[in-house]
């Protein structure tokens, strides 16, 4: 009489254990996770390798299964013309797509002027 309830509890515990372990192993695909610092640094180095890039910030990397999507901001000098800034951004995008097999969007910002202080 006691065997049936004990085996039922054992099967229930096994099902719950397997469900929790599967859920925990794949939850980062649903919620996302922070990118590896090495990858962020590599993207920064790639962006800085192009003449005209004065700063890199706002790097976001999203993984969707095996696909990655990268978005970042580059800073260019305030006197850079629009065509040149677009060319730089396109070059950075192409390099990231080629090296990481990921889609990429590069937003161009003008480099902020240093604030002057009065003495």
């Amino acid at each position: 009489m006691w065997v049936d309830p004990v085996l039922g509890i054992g099967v229930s515990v096994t099902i719950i254990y397997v469900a929790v372990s599967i859920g925990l192993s794949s939850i980062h695909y649903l919620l996302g996770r922070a990118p590896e610092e090495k990858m962020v640094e590599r993207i920064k180095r790639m962006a800085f390798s192009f003449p005209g890039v004065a700063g890199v910030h706002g790097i976001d990397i999203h993984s969707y299964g095996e696909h990655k999507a990268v978005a970042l901001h580059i800073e260019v000098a305030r006197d850079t013309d629009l065509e040149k800034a677009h060319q730089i951004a396109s070059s950075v995008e192409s390099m990231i797509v080629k090296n990481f097999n990921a889609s990429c969007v590069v937003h161009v910002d003008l480099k902020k002027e240093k604030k002057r202080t009065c003495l």
Side-chain angles (χ1 to χ4, degrees):
M1 211 135 155
W2 60 270
V3 174
D4 192 36
V6 170
L7 291 178
I9 291 171
V11 169
S12 298
V13 168
T14 303
I15 290 172
I16 292 170
Y17 173 78
V18 170
V20 168
S21 65
I22 289 172
L24 289 176
S25 68
S26 58
I27 198 163
H28 67 273
Y29 288 113
L30 298 173
L31 299 178
R33 63 178 162 187
E36 296 177 11
E37 190 61 34
K38 287 170 48 176
M39 185 175 185
V40 172
E41 287 302 316
R42 192 168 162 213
I43 288 172
K44 281 184 182 179
R45 280 195 311 273
M46 283 182 194
F48 276 121
S49 72
F50 289 93
V53 175
V56 179
H57 64 275
I59 298 174
D60 292 321
I61 304 168
H62 300 280
S63 295
Y64 304 102
E66 295 300 315
H67 177 73
K68 289 188 180 353
V70 178
L72 68 139
H73 294 239
I74 60 170
E75 294 178 0
V76 297
R78 295 187 83 71
D79 60 350
T80 305
D81 72 10
L82 185 58
E83 187 175 336
K84 181 66 176 171
H86 178 73
Q87 183 182 33
I88 293 168
S90 294
S91 298
V92 172
E93 285 177 0
S94 296
M95 181 175 264
I96 290 171
V97 167
K98 179 182 170 188
N99 284 281
F100 291 102
N101 193 24
S103 60
C104 182
V105 175
V106 176
H107 178 80
V108 178
D109 294 331
L110 297 178
K111 183 153 177 69
K112 296 177 184 170
E113 293 181 4
K114 292 182 180 180
K115 293 184 180 179
R116 297 180 184 164
T117 56
C118 296
L119 296 177

